[in-house]
Amino acid sequence: MSDEKRIDAETGTETTGHQWDGIEELNTPLPRWWLWTFYATTVWGVIYTILFPAWPMISGATAGALGWSSRGEVAAEIERVDLSRADLMESLVTVDLGVLDRNEDLHRFAVQAGRSVFAANCSQCHGAGAAGVQAAGYPNLLDDDWLWGGTIRDIATTVRHGIRNEDDPDARWSQMPAFGEFWTDDEIAATVEHVRALGGLEHDPDLAVVGAELFYDNCASCHGDEGTGDREIGAPNLTDAIWLYGGDREALDRTIRHARFGVMPPWGARLGEAQVRAVAAYVHGLGGGEEEAMIGDEVEAGPDVPDASFPASAEETPREAGEPPVAPVAD
Amino acid sequence: MTDAPQLFAAREPIFPRRVSGTFRRLKWAILWITLGIYYVTPWVRWDRGPNLPDQAVLVDLANRRFYFFWIEIWPHEFYFVAGLLIMAGLGLFLFTSALGRVWCGYSCPQTVWTDLFLWVERRFEGDRNARIRLQKAPWSVRKARLRLTKWGAWLLIALATGGAWVFYFADAPNLLRELATGTAPPVAYVTMAVLTATTFTLGGFLREQVCIYMCPWPRIQGAMMDPGTLTVGYRDWRGEPRGKGGVKRQRAAAHAVGGGEARARYGAAASKDVAAPRTSRDGEVLGDCIDCMACVAVCPMGIDIREGQQMECITCALCIDACDEVMARIGRPRGLIDYLALDDHPPTLPGEHAAVRPMGTAAAGAPVETIPVDGAPAPAPNAAPRPAVTVPELRDWTPKPLWKHVLRPRTLVYTTLWALIGIGLLVALFVRPEIDMTVAPVRNPTFVTLSDGSVRNAYDVRLRNKHGEERPFLFSLAAPGALSIALEGEEGLAAPVPADSTRLQRVYVTAAPGDPAALGGRTPVRLWVEDALSGERAHGDTVFNGRGELR
């Protein structure tokens, strides 16, 4: 470095006096338009901070003359999207769920909307992939086994009112007695062997014969003589390969001894009818959805308004608070 | 006080003179062709059927498609664009290593539009001298009229430029109608306004300032040149010492110095055809440069090429045309200013390679280097005495032919790479399928046990139909054992995919109870789809996850 400034012979420009290993720096003047650009951007910067939120104050920033905010922009965007979807939402609330899949656009919209509803509200228990949690008795929604029915209408009813909750008088309801209160350990063990036999699992045939007797007297009223269950009261089918709480001896012993009481909250009031229907359409399309037993189009033509055209069933019967369970149901 | 360094300098206006010649004609041709392509392309129609746009070149950002005549690029085929960009990069390396900043001089939009604006300027305000006079003249009605008409014409061109740009992104006739009726999307107006403003300012007022101060290219391209690179240069060994010649050629004096002089200036091969050297009034031997400043007057960058290659020079070659015109008039061979390379410089000292000496160090104010000639050295002012070059050495000197500058290992390597990528892209273009699929196994959960004990896996299959009409895609499965396939939401195994779009289809593969695939771990399976209309097939390989009970 040196301080000696001189006029460079080649260019006629003064040097800055800086030099590094003999390389000198010219003090070339900036173009004047650059200066004006700098002033212009400075002025624009000041104007910008007046128009938009900018200056930090003690409790927040200046609001800006235009009143713009990023939250406001998001809100406006959401409003715009909601407005553009208003027609579809309206159609979704009024459409007959039994024939929803005939309207391809509406069905696609419902499934996509339901995907979001599910992720935000249902995945906490049923899992993001809807595979459920067996240890906690959250059912797998992907398979073809349904406790309370697998048509889109059944699913919507379950979602709307929930299961065994105190908040919705129309909640699906049933309760299996805890057989540990009146059975011996041997009786329970024998029934476990029979239930395993029903499900096609390895079992003790001698004990199962004793268990069959007990099953016929105590369980068949809900689960059926063959153990195929009853969807009207959410009594699970015991003959299939799917076990809500597990098919091993320990889990079955616990189920029979203490009973289970799986609860699902009602979502109708919280989500609104459109979202309930959307999430029902989504769950219905996860691989296990069942078709409505079609009697004729005229039967299905009416709108599926809650508590209106839905066929009356046991779980729909209003229940007095504190009333004993309608029917003992085992799982 | 006047010596105080200025922090800011105002732009020195430049008034390039009109010039005609080979390179000017070439530049006009390139200008009209490139501008023509730019303005006309969006209006070319191309029939693609009822479901697709009929604009030949269209960047459809909303639908993420790029149409180029018969080619349609989807987002997943962006590698074509990447490949073209790599080719553009290699092409730039190639042209820069062979011809220097030829991009800047001929095809850079800044150069092309500035050229167009200059042409307009000349139409309204006249050539160089008239424009200088007008600039100096005080404001008057005439000056205001000329300025306003010129700016108006510029604005129209700028508006057309910004306008043409937006037509590449939407259906041109529709957009024009919308623009005219004020119903076009705001982004179209904003884009047009910005491009109009930049074209008007950059082409009309900032011109060479863009190249000198704003553009990184001059630095990058300067670094990419080598001693063999052709660029616009001045044959100082031929032109110096510059000066006005005597009233008459003094043939006798010329004869005395003829042979060696000519060889030194023109090279051994050319020297025979060259007339005798010029001499000054004082009988001093002069170079070919008559210092007429034509090269400076025509330069759009306002530089003197005789000072050597410099950062400002965009190699537009207009000084070559200007000088050739003068050389023809004074009866000297063309090419005093010409496409030259550093290593074109004749040997100056025994053992010294010409390339190590920067071309054109004969800058103003610096010592002017001249070719010392046997017997008659021509010392320039302030020139340090140099050892004279001996005649035998000069006799062997022959200028390098043009092709040797262009065909060099470096340019050949660039050409080969460029061509290989080009061929690769062409092959990729012609073998790419019209239907396509990708398979993503659903991993949450990996499998589902159904009530009858069978095991089901789900796959999200992305189907791609590039045809201009809806096609039914038929699914089939290639897998060992008793595996069956079903589609979510479809009765059979056909999934219709709309024209020019994709469809996400969930596919179920189910293994019967007790099947090895159901009980085992991972079984490889292959999903096939077939376009039922054309018979084209595509497949995706994936795995089937069993319950993992057989180990």
Side-chain angles (χ1 to χ4, degrees), chain B residues 312-333:
Chain B
E312 289 85 351
C313 177
I314 58 169
T315 71
C316 68
L318 292 182
C319 50
I320 301 181
D321 279 347
C323 191
D324 282 354
E325 215 177 358
V326 173
M327 288 298 112
R329 223 179 292 152
I330 66 168
R332 314 300 296 185

Side-chain angles (χ1 to χ4, degrees), chain B residues 464-479:
Chain B
R464 211 175 270 138
N465 175 19
K466 293 192 201 161
H467 290 286
E469 69 266 337
E470 181 176 292
R471 294 286 170 112
F473 280 41
L474 282 177
F475 274 92
S476 58
L477 179 72

Side-chain angles (χ1 to χ4, degrees), chain B residues 183-208:
Chain B
T183 53
V187 65
Y189 292 111
V190 172
T191 308
M192 274 183 74
V194 168
L195 284 175
T196 304
T198 50
T199 310
F200 183 69
T201 331
L202 301 186
F205 302 97
L206 282 170
R207 293 185 180 172
E208 80 290 343

Side-chain angles (χ1 to χ4, degrees), chain A residues 21-38:
Chain A
D21 295 340
I23 299 173
E24 289 179 279
E25 188 183 27
L26 293 180
N27 194 8
T28 308
L30 276 170
R32 194 171 294 284
W33 58 259
W34 190 94
L35 185 68
W36 289 114
T37 311
F38 176 70

